[in-house]
Amino acid sequence: MENVMERLKKMENVMATLSNALDEMHTQSIHTKAVKVTCIVPTSEAHSKEERLEKMANVMATLRNALDKMHTQSIHTKDVSATCNVPTSEAPSKEEISAHGAPNPKQDAIHLNSAFKGTGLNLGKVISILANRDTTQRRLIQQEYRLLYSEELNDRLSQELDWNLSWNLGGNINAILKKNVKSAILLWMLDPVERDATIVGKALTLTTLNLDAATEVICSRTPSQVRLFKEAYFKKYGTQLDSDISSRTKGNHKKLLVACVNVARDEETEVDPKMVEEDAKKLFKDGEKTFVRIFSERSWAHLAAVASSYHRTYGNSLEKAVKKETSGHFKHALLTLLGCAMNPAEYFAKVLYKAMEGFGTTDSTLIRVVVTRAEIDMMHIKEEYSKKYKKSLQDAIHSETSGDYRTFLLSLVGPVEP
């Protein structure tokens, strides 16, 4: 491990890089309000090395915040990047890495606990650890934290994020950002099955009713995934999922969602060409009358083949037929099933685009999709987004978010593919 003086030297270099970046941005004829940065780091012998480290870390945070503030004010200038790879206690040492090269969950638990110490939550440290751990690693961290500190990590995270939210020094916008990052982190910490059950449960609660979110999750998951989160739903809420769906929805929308959670839909990839043609014919002839049965009972492979046959035979896409003949939540459910049957990555790229389109951002949708798809098909979603909208998903998220909220989401999305 590096000694204190080596870390001091590296931190000084990073501070110089950040300061130069600020200077360069100020000299680009930028018409924005000034950002005052006080960079006084005592170097006298009266201060210990540890005190200097702490003060320098605070200055670096100030510099980073200043850079972030200037970037978020629509400054049209060339990119100025600062590489801040400072080896501190946030980064695991060689001794903290397990034999197969993965981070050590016990050390991660210790580092997280240290982030909760002091006068405020070190959210950057929390994000740097949790955003870079997969489901299994996060589960192991939670187990180690429970053993070490006799409390649940998720409970402690929730408490710390609530405390962080209570210190609202930046007005309503800052409060919203803190609320968003709390929602995203806590959702990320759940196992995928429990996460889906939680999203649907909240979406079907009267005080937080969001039928679009419930519909998306139910209609975009495979039959086996639906079966698992249906069991988790009952365990968590003590009620049957189909019963809650029935009490919150109506008409064909209700029929379709109830069928999706109850019908043992086939997951086979092979299809029967004759049945495909028959279904395409029924959908064209009977329209909405047959939508519920075919869309809820047929496999995704079969439904994709039906869409292809429908377009080939009748010269119009099945998607357009759904949009023409249905409306509201029922239409949304059908389009979700159809989109995920044909190309789930393209479907979720569209959802993300709509969440960030126009004035304002639908943060609940952005968080839900990024968190739930990060470990499934995010690479393909990024490809589809870039291909369809001529802009990277990362750039879109960067322009619509800021602060720790932006950092966390971009960490889950991953880098721009070459």
Side-chain angles (χ1 to χ4, degrees):
M1 295 180 63
E2 295 177 284
N3 59 35
V4 174
M5 290 305 297
E6 288 174 331
R7 285 171 57 194
L8 272 169
K9 184 176 178 62
K10 292 198 174 187
M11 291 178 77
E12 287 171 347
N13 292 336
V14 171
M15 285 176 60
T17 302
L18 287 166
S19 295
N20 290 337
L22 274 172
D23 291 339
E24 184 172 342
M25 293 176 72
H26 274 300
T27 59
Q28 297 288 328
S29 299
I30 298 169
H31 302 289
T32 183
K33 35 185 198 178
V35 181
K36 183 177 181 181
V37 183
T38 304
C39 303
I40 301 175
V41 182
T43 57
S44 69
E45 295 300 321
H47 295 275
S48 69
K49 296 172 183 176
E50 288 75 13
E51 288 175 325
R52 288 174 62 195
L53 272 173
E54 182 178 356
K55 289 179 181 293
M56 290 176 72
N58 291 335
V59 172
M60 286 175 62
T62 303
L63 286 165
R64 289 193 186 98
N65 290 337
L67 275 170
D68 187 62
K69 183 182 292 186
M70 296 178 73
H71 273 302
T72 56
Q73 294 185 26
S74 301
I75 298 170
H76 301 291
T77 185
K78 62 181 182 178
D79 286 340
V80 182
S81 61
T83 304
C84 306
N85 298 319
V86 183
T88 68
S89 58
E90 294 183 28
S93 66
K94 292 180 180 179
E95 292 78 8
E96 296 167 351
I97 301 295
S98 60
H100 58 280
N104 187 312
K106 182 176 181 179
Q107 291 298 327
D108 280 344
I110 293 171
H111 289 318
L112 286 169
N113 188 63
S114 70
F116 303 149
K117 304 293 185 181
T119 57
L121 172 66
N122 187 338
L123 190 51
K125 189 173 187 177
V126 171
I127 290 173
S128 71
I129 295 173
L130 296 181
N132 294 290
R133 304 294 185 266
D134 60 29
T135 297
T136 301
Q137 291 168 337
R138 296 195 302 276
R139 188 183 300 122
L140 291 173
I141 293 171
Q142 292 177 63
Q143 292 175 3
E144 292 291 346
Y145 194 91
R146 189 183 306 116
L147 289 172
L148 287 169
Y149 305 108
S150 300
E151 65 176 334
E152 296 298 327
L153 174 58
N154 287 2
D155 291 341
R156 182 62 185 271
L157 270 172
S158 182
Q159 293 172 10
E160 293 291 335
L161 291 166
D162 279 338
W163 186 89
N164 185 55
L165 184 58
S166 69
W167 282 80
N168 182 23
L169 304 179
N172 292 334
I173 294 178
N174 193 47
I176 292 172
L177 291 173
K178 288 183 175 183
K179 185 177 180 180
N180 286 339
V181 77
K182 175 191 173 183
S183 298
I185 291 175
L186 293 181
L187 196 62
W188 176 245
M189 289 303 293
L190 299 175
D191 281 348
V193 172
E194 184 183 1
R195 183 191 299 145
D196 282 346
T198 300
I199 293 171
V200 174
K202 183 178 180 181
L204 293 178
T205 301
L206 283 176
T207 55
T208 54
L209 192 64
N210 186 343
L211 293 182
D212 282 343
T215 298
E216 177 193 288
V217 173
I218 292 170
C219 295
S220 66
R221 303 310 191 248
T222 65
S224 57
Q225 289 172 332
V226 171
R227 184 178 66 255
L228 289 173
F229 85 69
K230 181 181 176 182
E231 294 172 358
Y233 187 96
F234 179 77
K235 183 178 180 181
K236 184 176 181 67
Y237 298 106
T239 59
Q240 296 294 343
L241 177 55
D242 54 358
S243 176
D244 285 350
I245 290 172
S246 296
S247 66
R248 300 287 185 265
T249 58
K250 58 185 179 181
N252 283 329
H253 181 227
K254 176 171 72 175
K255 293 178 182 177
L256 181 58
L257 293 191
V258 169
C260 284
V261 301
N262 284 335
V263 176
R265 187 152 46 96
D266 191 3
E267 293 191 59
E268 291 295 325
T269 56
E270 293 184 4
V271 299
D272 181 343
K274 185 177 180 180
M275 186 181 293
V276 166
E277 292 181 7
E278 290 176 354
D279 281 348
K281 184 177 180 180
K282 289 176 183 176
L283 288 170
F284 180 78
K285 182 180 178 181
D286 301 327
E288 189 172 341
K289 295 179 181 179
T290 58
F291 279 144
V292 171
R293 182 176 62 83
I294 292 176
F295 275 68
S296 64
E297 294 180 3
R298 303 296 190 252
S299 70
W300 281 359
H302 180 94
L303 195 56
V306 168
S308 179
S309 176
Y310 189 99
H311 187 272
R312 185 173 59 252
T313 304
Y314 303 108
N316 191 26
S317 71
L318 182 54
E319 180 181 357
K320 288 183 179 179
V322 168
K323 290 179 178 179
K324 181 180 179 181
E325 298 183 35
T326 64
S327 61
H329 295 300
F330 182 46
K331 179 178 74 173
H332 178 215
L334 292 170
L335 291 177
T336 300
L337 286 164
L338 184 60
C340 290
M342 298 180 68
N343 187 341
E346 182 183 17
Y347 169 80
F348 281 109
K350 291 179 181 178
V351 173
L352 287 169
Y353 178 79
K354 290 178 181 178
M356 296 182 281
E357 183 182 22
F359 180 76
T361 300
T362 309
D363 291 296
S364 60
T365 300
L366 180 60
I367 291 169
R368 183 178 67 251
V369 174
V370 169
V371 170
T372 60
R373 308 309 295 188
E375 296 180 283
I376 299 176
D377 54 1
M378 184 55 70
M379 182 180 295
H380 300 301
I381 292 173
K382 289 190 291 184
E383 292 174 358
E384 291 293 341
Y385 194 98
S386 179
K387 182 170 64 176
K388 189 172 183 65
Y389 303 111
K390 311 305 178 186
K391 180 180 183 180
S392 74
L393 176 58
Q394 292 90 330
D395 285 345
I397 292 175
H398 188 279
S399 65
E400 295 294 324
T401 59
S402 62
D404 293 316
Y405 178 43
R406 172 198 288 165
T407 301
F408 185 69
L409 291 185
L410 290 179
S411 295
L412 297 190
V413 170
V416 177
E417 303 301 325

